[in-house]
Amino acid sequence: MKLLHYGPLGQEKPGMLDKDGRIRDLSGKVANFAGSTLLPESLDALRAIDPMTLPLIEGNPRLGACVAGTGKFICIGLNYSDHAAETGATVPPEPIIFMKATSAIVGPNDPVEIPRGSLKTDWEVELGVVIGKTAKYVSEAEAMDYVAGYCVINDVSERAFQAERQGQWTKGKSCDTFGPTGPWLVTADEIDDPQNLKMHLEVNGRKFQDGSTKTMIYGVRYLVSYLSQFMSLLPGDIISTGTPPGVGLGQKPNIFLKAGDVVTLGIEGLGMQRQEFYQG
């Protein structure tokens, strides 16, 4: 299934795509895709619904983030071998974990604000993993049972805030609108292998990122198990799993985003995003 939220900001309704890629309204069945709605039995109940029996939504409404009520937005740094190489970093012996504020989450095509004082706003296409049931001390063998599905994330980053202002990375990752998520939550049964998905990102039509989840250092199965050793992962939590090479920081000379720039990105089977950047 491809699940989504549509409608004006703060008034989003749940929907799913039918076989023709049209939005069908699910508000008569669930309130949103959050918490218990993401449990395996809840998704099974939705899977039993024939989308063609649901109300058709005409036109092209705004899409909200495909998951609601996210409690934790967990990110993995330097998780692609080729991205680590372009930044001159060594491959970490364990996953680098940092948090992105959930207040950064916006819809996949919403405008993104370049924060005041920013000189180095950057892009990162990433595979998002959405947790479907509480995971605590889970093994790698059982880790995938806790994944509700996958989505596209642009882990927008302000590099000066991140690396030149002391402290942890969080303040360079958590600015308002820095977490476009969606367009869809694609349930795990539709993705045969999350470690074999092509991913790309363009800025103003120029391709900068053209990679694959094949080059992840720590894969989805490992990350879910690893993170669950340190904290409980709850339904609706998101793990953003890192980015392939081609970020602005990796260009020679560096290239960073400015007002009016348009970023488009996508992951195989998970849909596309488009954001126009503006000065805050």
Side-chain angles (χ1 to χ4, degrees), residues 135-158:
K136 184 173 183 177
Y137 299 126
V138 303
S139 67
E140 284 189 62
E142 61 184 341
M144 301 305 280
D145 296 338
Y146 294 83
V147 175
Y150 305 95
C151 61
V152 181
I153 290 172
N154 188 356
D155 177 21
V156 185
S157 308
E158 210 300 335

Side-chain angles (χ1 to χ4, degrees), residues 61-273:
R62 171 191 172 270
L63 298 180
C66 59
V67 184
T70 295
K72 293 190 288 296
F73 197 161
I74 308 166
C75 300
I76 310 299
L78 298 174
N79 195 32
Y80 282 68
S81 54
D82 36 9
H83 172 56
E86 79 168 341
T87 62
T90 57
V91 172
E94 290 189 44
I96 294 174
I97 302 171
F98 62 93
M99 306 295 261
K100 195 177 185 87
T102 56
S103 56
I105 296 173
V106 292
N109 304 317
D110 287 345
V112 173
E113 177 183 0
I114 298 173
R116 294 178 186 178
S118 168
L119 298 174
K120 297 182 178 181
T121 295
D122 204 349
W123 57 83
E124 294 188 10
V125 58
E126 304 203 1
L127 172 67
V129 179
V130 178
I131 298 298
K133 62 178 181 177
T134 300
K136 184 173 183 177
Y137 299 126
V138 303
S139 67
E140 284 189 62
E142 61 184 341
M144 301 305 280
D145 296 338
Y146 294 83
V147 175
Y150 305 95
C151 61
V152 181
I153 290 172
N154 188 356
D155 177 21
V156 185
S157 308
E158 210 300 335
R159 302 301 188 187
F161 295 179
Q162 176 186 353
E164 300 171 20
R165 296 281 297 272
Q166 303 303 312
Q168 299 180 342
W169 291 2
T170 303
K171 62 180 173 286
K173 297 284 191 170
S174 296
C175 303
D176 292 348
T177 73
F178 268 26
T181 302
W184 318 309
L185 168 60
V186 180
T187 51
D189 58 298
E190 291 204 4
I191 302 299
D192 292 333
D193 182 3
Q195 305 308 147
N196 188 24
L197 301 175
K198 295 177 181 177
M199 51 206 310
H200 62 91
L201 180 145
E202 294 84 35
V203 180
N204 300 327
R206 176 184 170 187
K207 183 173 285 187
F208 282 92
Q209 293 189 276
D210 187 10
S212 169
T213 57
K214 282 182 178 180
T215 65
M216 268 192 202
I217 298 166
Y218 300 106
V220 172
R221 183 183 299 276
Y222 182 88
L223 290 172
V224 171
S225 173
Y226 180 84
L227 290 168
S228 78
Q229 310 307 309
F230 304 102
M231 65 191 88
S232 293
L233 303 176
L234 305 178
D237 285 351
I238 298 171
I239 305 169
S240 197
T241 56
T243 198
V247 299
L249 183 65
Q251 308 303 310
K252 298 186 179 5
N254 296 160
I255 298 174
F256 296 114
L257 294 164
K258 60 186 184 302
D261 284 346
V262 174
V263 174
T264 55
L265 60 148
I267 298 177
E268 182 181 2
L270 302 183
M272 292 283 297
Q273 297 185 357

